[in-house]
């Protein structure tokens, strides 16, 4: 018999005398402690992200390209990677079109296999996010064909645009209310700060393997 | 066939092969107790981790409710385990993930090596995975000419030192930064001695980034696998897990068959319990939900994803309704962080891949009681491990059960454990038989206690090894029965 058949047979035998499958769980404990108003939720996300060593910059729908450009200028004009076709890329490229004091730009417009080594030389990348989770200060990154997943992983500086109207109290509520189970992308992510490790004598160090810096542009707009 | 991994710039060419010591548990424990620097490392780390955990579970009511939910989710998954595994396989396949089953670590190693051979891969990067440690995968691949590099900082340090992890969450917890500084300076070309932790991490980052770029295949473990959606969840802080599962062309995930949960929403409370219990973080830096290989039109991600489901003795634990609770574990390591034995002897003294209380209850299933006879006894049964377990595994009760199984004669039915009777001792059994008879036969009991009280000055002062650390109590001049009869005026 195959390994699969043997394993399943052993497990089914093990259940022979069991009382049957357990019923559904009461998930109240995952929800109850985290009831926030929208404003409190947004504030909490910002506080927790800052506590996790991320940098949060308050911005608006109209001013974020300028705010981002200023940050990049302060950071030494890193070569910046953008998803090719997202709205934020279009807005930023329009803003940068007639300026010359802006960083050099690279579009992620071909399969990684063709330029993997070059990708590892890029300094910064910009992505959007699906929203944030107030309980833990996490950003939901939802890569798409237009916004590849290495954008938020390989470059040492990761910049995220977060529309603050998208915020859930808990991961549980995000999964349930936004119906993740029926529409998951190839790779969904929660990001709650820059890469870190405490593997050497419990001493916290940032920039282990992922981005060393995480900058969040929080685009505050009234909740619809 | 080459017998050693190719020389690389990772420093591993100079590392010693992993040596698993064969000395009995007590000798290793004794050696660890005499190692001052090791004890300082563990004491410091355990105090740090227990304090961090206490800080994030500061509301006892919330802890109680959430751990009850965690227990229920894990028990529910186990109550339908075979169906959920089939559902997981089906959903993974729909997502484009190749699913493989392995009864033993040998089979699992063959599967992994077979995939590597198909791709003619010689360079592999691995994210932290205890199942791959269970398989001794690095060693297996090295013997077949494949260099498998650990990419978690702690695991990388341990691999560089030619050692094994001493903790399931913090593998290099037994090492001080001075030892790590010396290790890097010795093994990595052009690296000066530095005890600056940021500098050490940046050195590791530079070495490993090149490896993420070069590797043809990435290997990872799985924290939770979701049957409903065919999702593989990975929890981490460093980003090496994301690197291993995103950058190479092929991703192979290995997991124990117990890691499956029924629904995606089950992940949310378990994830909170895991990070808070493990390192006292309310959340880890990354939660990585992998649903398959690169889809048409996508520009990155692996082109092939494989999932290897490993049994390796888990179905034995599953077959017994009490021992099944062992499989509720979410591998947070809180039980070892709070164990007075682990804190004093460290992870290597156990001699098994999984150390500490969880190792003591899972290893006898993976290896058989005959290979782990000392583990069920290596506990004071203080109960701390059971108290902090986020999914309420009754670890002390399971240890007691394993002690019983190890002491029962090998041929006695029912036979729940491989290696049953590993500690069976005829003299001990005879003694207990006598003890039972003495305590259930009133005449014999009175005679014995009368004799002991009268001969109290002539009893031996030492009862080795019991009196090595205790004073032997002396019986009272009169037995309790005699005193009670005197008080009530009755005569025997």
């Amino acid at each position: 018999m195959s390994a699969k058949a043997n394993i399943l047979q052993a497990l089914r035998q093990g259940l022979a005398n069991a009382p049957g499958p357990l019923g559904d769980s009461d998930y109240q404990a995952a929800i109850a402690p985290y009831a926030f108003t929208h404003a409190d939720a947004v504030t909490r996300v910002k506080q927790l992200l800052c506590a996790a060593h991320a940098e949060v910059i308050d911005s608006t729908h109209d001013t974020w390209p300028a705010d981002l450009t200023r940050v990049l200028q302060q950071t030494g004009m890193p070569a910046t990677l953008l998803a090719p076709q997202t709205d934020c890329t279009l807005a930023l490229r329009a803003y940068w079109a007639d300026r010359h004091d802006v960083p050099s730009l690279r579009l992620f417009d071909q399969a990684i296999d063709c330029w993997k080594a070059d990708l590892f030389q890029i300094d910064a990348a910009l992505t959007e996010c699906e929203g944030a989770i107030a309980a833990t200060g996490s950003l939901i990154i939802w890569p798409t064909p237009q916004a590849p997943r290495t954008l938020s992983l390989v470059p040492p500086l990761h910049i995220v645009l977060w529309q603050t109207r998208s915020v859930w109290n808990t991961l549980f509520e995000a999964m349930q209310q936004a119906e993740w189970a029926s529409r998951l992308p190839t790779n969904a992510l929660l990001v709650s700060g820059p890469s870190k490790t405490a593997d050497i004598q419990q001493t916290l160090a940032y920039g282990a393997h992922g981005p060393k810096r995480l900058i969040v542009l929080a685009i505050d707009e009234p909740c619809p | 066939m080459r017998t050693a991994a190719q020389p690389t710039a990772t420093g591993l060419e100079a590392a010693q092969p992993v040596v698993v010591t064969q000395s009995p548990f007590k000798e290793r424990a004794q050696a660890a107790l005499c190692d001052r620097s090791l004890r300082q490392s563990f004491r410091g780390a355990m105090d740090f981790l227990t304090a961090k955990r206490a800080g994030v579970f500061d509301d006892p009511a919330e802890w109680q409710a959430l751990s009850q939910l965690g227990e229920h989710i894990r028990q529910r998954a186990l109550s339908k385990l075979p169906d959920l595994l089939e559902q997981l396989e089906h959903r993974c396949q729909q997502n484009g993930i190749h699913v493989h089953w392995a009864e033993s670590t040998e089979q699992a190693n063959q599967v992994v090596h077979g995939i590597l051979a198909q791709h003619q891969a010689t360079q592999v990067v691995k994210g932290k995975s205890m199942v791959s440690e269970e398989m001794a995968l690095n060693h297996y691949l090295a013997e077949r000419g494949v260099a498998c590099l650990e990419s978690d900082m702690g695991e990388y340090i341990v691999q560089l030192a030619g050692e094994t992890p001493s903790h399931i969450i913090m593998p290099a917890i037994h090492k001080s930064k001075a030892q790590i500084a010396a290790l890097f300076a010795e093994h990595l070309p052009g690296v000066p001695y530095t005890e600056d932790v940021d500098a050490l991490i940046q050195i590791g980052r530079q070495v490993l980034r090149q490896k993420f770029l070069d590797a043809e295949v990435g290997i990872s473990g799985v924290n939770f696998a979701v049957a409903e959606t065919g999702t593989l969840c990975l929890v981490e802080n460093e980003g090496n897990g994301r690197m291993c599962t995103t950058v190479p062309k092929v991703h192979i995930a290995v997991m124990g068959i117990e890691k499956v949960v029924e629904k995606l929403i089950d992940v949310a409370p378990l994830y909170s319990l895991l990070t808070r219990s493990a390192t006292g973080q309310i959340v880890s830096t990354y939660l990585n939900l992998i649903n398959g290989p690169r889809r048409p039109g996508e520009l990155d991600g692996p082109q092939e994803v494989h999932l290897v489901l490993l049994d390796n003795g888990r179905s034995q634990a599953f077959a017994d309704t009490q021992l099944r609770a062992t499989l509720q574990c979410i591998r947070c390591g809180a039980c070892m962080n709070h164990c007075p034995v682990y804190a004093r002897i460290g992870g290597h003294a156990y001699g098994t891949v999984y150390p500490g209380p969880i190792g003591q209850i899972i290893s006898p299933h993976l290896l058989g009681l005959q290979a782990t006879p000392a583990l069920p006894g290596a506990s004071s049964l203080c109960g701390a491990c059971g108290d902090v377990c986020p999914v309420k595994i009754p670890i002390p009760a399971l240890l007691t059960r394993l002690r019983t199984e190890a002491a029962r004669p090998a041929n006695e039915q029912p036979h729940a454990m491989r290696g049953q009777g590993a500690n069976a001792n005829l003299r001990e059994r005879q003694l207990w038989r006598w003890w039972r008879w003495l305590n259930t036969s009133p005449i014999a009991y009175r005679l014995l206690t009368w004799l002991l009280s009268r001969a109290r000055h002539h009893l031996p002062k030492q009862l080795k090894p019991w009196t090595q650390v205790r004073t032997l109590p002396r019986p009272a001049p009169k037995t309790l029965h005699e005193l009670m009869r005197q008080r009530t005026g009755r005569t025997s």
Side-chain angles (χ1 to χ4, degrees):
Chain A
M1 281 212 303
S2 68
K4 174 183 171 182
N6 288 338
I7 292 170
L8 290 174
Q9 189 191 31
L11 295 178
R12 295 214 154 95
Q13 269 172 8
L15 285 180
N17 299 319
L22 293 189
D24 206 2
S25 305
D26 173 3
Y27 292 98
Q28 205 48 40
I31 307 165
Y34 305 100
F36 307 111
T37 64
H38 176 78
D40 285 350
V42 171
T43 307
R44 186 177 160 104
V45 170
K46 291 178 184 173
Q47 282 171 348
L48 287 174
L49 279 169
C50 289
H53 215 73
E55 299 149 63
V56 179
I57 296 166
D58 288 322
S59 188
T60 68
H61 182 73
D62 298 322
T63 60
W64 74 261
D67 292 334
L68 171 60
T69 307
R70 198 168 50 248
V71 170
L72 292 174
Q73 284 165 344
Q74 284 162 3
T75 312
M77 305 278 252
T80 302
L81 182 64
L82 301 174
Q85 288 156 22
T86 56
D87 289 345
C88 73
T89 295
L90 299 178
L92 190 62
R93 289 184 74 187
Y95 180 77
W96 281 356
D98 46 7
R99 287 182 165 75
H100 39 258
D101 56 340
V102 296
S104 69
L105 178 85
R106 171 96 198 220
L107 292 182
F108 200 134
D109 54 3
Q110 53 181 334
I112 183 177
D113 318 271
C114 313
W115 67 296
K116 210 187 259 187
D118 290 348
L119 170 65
F120 274 71
Q121 300 306 318
I122 302 264
D123 305 313
L126 173 70
T127 74
E128 293 169 82
C129 72
E130 277 274 296
I133 292 166
T136 53
S138 307
L139 301 168
I140 303 162
I141 309 280
W142 204 266
T144 63
Q146 289 75 41
R149 55 205 259 191
T150 39
L151 271 176
S152 64
L153 174 63
V154 176
L157 168 59
H158 178 205
I159 304 149
V160 185
L161 284 189
W162 169 42
Q163 315 274 349
T164 61
R165 64 171 181 270
S166 291
V167 62
W168 283 271
N169 287 337
T170 61
L171 172 61
F172 182 89
E173 287 179 352
M175 284 175 160
Q176 201 176 44
Q177 290 168 9
E179 297 178 342
W180 284 22
S182 61
R183 59 179 197 100
L184 278 170
T186 311
N187 182 217
L189 293 156
L190 292 194
V191 173
S192 309
S195 156
K196 66 175 180 239
T197 183
D199 272 355
I200 299 181
Q201 218 174 301
Q202 300 91 55
T203 308
L204 192 56
Y206 290 94
H209 296 295
K212 296 180 185 182
R213 281 179 76 190
L214 176 69
I215 297 178
V216 182
L217 288 170
I219 301 184
D220 283 310
E221 284 181 76
C223 188
Chain B
M1 189 202 303
R2 280 169 295 172
T3 52
Q6 275 192 321
T8 62
T10 58
L12 286 180
E13 63 279 13
Q16 298 297 310
V18 173
V19 179
V20 178
T21 47
Q22 292 300 324
S23 66
F25 170 76
K26 282 186 182 171
E27 282 174 34
R28 288 191 302 261
Q30 191 64 48
L33 287 172
C34 299
D35 185 335
R36 202 180 169 78
S37 127
L38 187 84
R39 291 193 61 173
Q40 274 174 349
S41 291
F42 276 99
R43 184 76 267 165
M46 297 302 100
D47 290 346
F48 173 80
L49 289 168
T50 50
K52 288 261 286 174
R53 178 193 167 277
V56 293
F57 283 123
D58 52 352
D59 176 354
E62 194 239 340
W63 154 251
Q64 213 30 264
L66 193 62
S67 57
Q68 247 166 31
L69 172 57
E71 177 192 28
H72 191 266
I73 289 172
R74 292 297 301 132
Q75 285 183 344
R76 170 160 49 82
L78 292 175
S79 77
K80 348 180 158 172
L81 183 59
D83 292 346
L84 292 186
L85 283 169
E86 285 189 306
Q87 189 189 1
L88 175 70
E89 180 186 41
H90 180 65
R91 289 312 309 261
C92 282
Q93 286 169 343
Q94 282 183 330
N95 294 350
I97 299 175
H98 302 271
V99 180
H100 311 264
W101 301 67
E103 286 176 88
S104 63
T105 54
E106 176 66 22
Q107 279 180 11
N109 280 326
Q110 283 169 3
V111 168
V112 173
H113 182 243
I115 300 165
L116 298 182
Q118 261 180 22
H119 292 274
Q120 296 170 328
T122 55
Q123 292 204 62
V124 176
V125 281
K126 177 147 74 70
K128 183 162 173 38
S129 150
M130 290 310 293
V131 167
S132 73
E133 297 287 342
E134 205 178 310
M135 293 157 62
L137 179 64
N138 293 355
H139 185 69
Y140 184 93
L141 293 181
E143 281 183 341
R144 285 153 186 82
V146 179
C148 187
L149 186 70
E150 294 290 349
S151 61
D152 173 88
M153 287 295 180
E155 291 276 354
Y156 174 64
I157 290 164
V158 163
Q159 191 182 27
L160 208 57
E163 297 173 356
T164 54
S166 59
H167 190 281
I168 63 171
I169 301 294
M170 308 191 91
I173 207 164
H174 57 288
K175 285 196 142 19
S176 65
K177 62 183 172 189
Q179 289 170 325
I180 294 164
L183 189 72
F184 276 24
E186 184 189 343
H187 289 303
L188 298 174
V191 167
Y193 180 96
T194 170
E195 288 186 22
D196 181 310
V197 171
D198 282 317
L200 289 169
I201 293 298
Q202 289 312 306
I203 293 164
R205 177 184 172 99
Q206 287 315 315
V207 170
L208 288 160
R209 270 178 95 80
Q210 186 60 41
K211 292 291 148 184
F212 293 129
L213 185 55
D214 295 342
E216 295 116 329
V217 175
I219 297 178
S220 76
V222 175
N223 289 98
F224 313 107
V226 185
E228 177 188 26
T229 53
T231 304
L232 311 178
C233 310
L234 273 148
V235 177
E236 60 156 340
N237 285 316
E238 294 185 3
N240 66 305
R242 288 183 65 197
M243 284 283 189
C244 291
T245 58
T246 305
V247 175
K249 277 186 180 170
V250 180
H251 167 212
I252 306 172
V254 293
M255 70 175 247
I257 52 172
E258 82 283 20
K259 283 289 181 84
V260 62
V261 295
E262 186 178 3
K263 295 183 282 187
L264 187 66
I265 51 172
D266 289 337
V267 171
L270 291 180
Y271 175 48
S272 177
L273 284 167
L274 175 59
T275 62
R276 289 157 88 184
S277 301
T279 49
Q281 294 174 266
I282 59 167
V283 72
S284 61
T285 302
Y286 302 115
L287 173 68
N288 184 359
L289 306 177
I290 296 165
N291 294 291
R294 189 187 305 187
R295 293 175 192 168
E298 291 182 342
L299 299 175
D300 63 1
Q303 288 162 359
E304 236 179 84
V305 178
H306 295 263
L307 173 65
V308 183
L309 297 164
L310 175 66
D311 181 342
N312 193 28
R314 288 167 172 81
S315 55
Q316 173 188 275
F318 187 80
D320 183 284
T321 45
Q322 186 188 16
L323 298 172
R324 188 175 303 159
T326 311
L327 304 179
Q328 285 165 222
C329 179
I330 57 171
R331 302 281 189 269
C332 69
C335 57
M336 56 195 78
N337 298 345
H338 290 77
C339 177
V341 177
Y342 179 91
R344 283 165 180 79
I345 65 173
H348 288 147
Y350 293 83
T352 46
V353 165
Y354 300 94
I358 182 60
Q360 290 168 264
I361 60 169
I362 188 74
S363 305
H365 296 289
L366 307 185
L367 305 166
L369 273 169
Q370 75 287 349
T372 54
L375 293 189
S379 167
S380 64
L381 297 180
C382 72
C385 51
D387 289 348
V388 297
C389 178
V391 290
K392 293 184 175 294
I393 303 174
I395 301 177
L398 293 176
L399 285 168
T400 316
R401 169 71 189 280
L402 292 175
R403 290 181 186 187
T404 308
E405 295 301 325
R408 285 172 61 216
N411 53 5
E412 196 176 275
Q413 294 296 328
H415 204 285
M417 298 279 308
R418 196 153 52 98
Q420 172 183 316
N423 293 341
N425 178 328
L426 192 64
R427 216 174 100 202
E428 191 182 63
R429 278 184 79 74
Q430 289 295 356
L431 264 171
W432 284 113
R433 238 176 237 160
W434 272 91
W435 182 256
R436 186 170 61 188
W437 178 74
L438 281 167
N439 283 279
T440 52
S441 152
I443 298 174
Y445 182 79
R446 277 185 203 173
L447 190 66
L448 178 79
T449 49
W450 186 87
L451 270 172
L452 283 174
S453 59
R454 268 42 178 204
R456 55 196 289 267
H457 292 296
H458 306 288
L459 294 174
K461 301 270 185 293
Q462 300 291 318
L463 203 62
K464 278 190 171 179
W466 203 80
T467 47
Q468 271 178 355
V469 289
R470 300 175 184 88
T471 311
L472 192 65
R474 181 175 286 177
K478 287 187 173 178
T479 71
L480 180 66
H481 284 198
E482 283 180 286
L483 292 172
M484 291 308 286
R485 275 193 298 271
Q486 272 180 1
R487 186 190 272 194
T488 56
R490 284 172 52 194
T491 51
S492 57

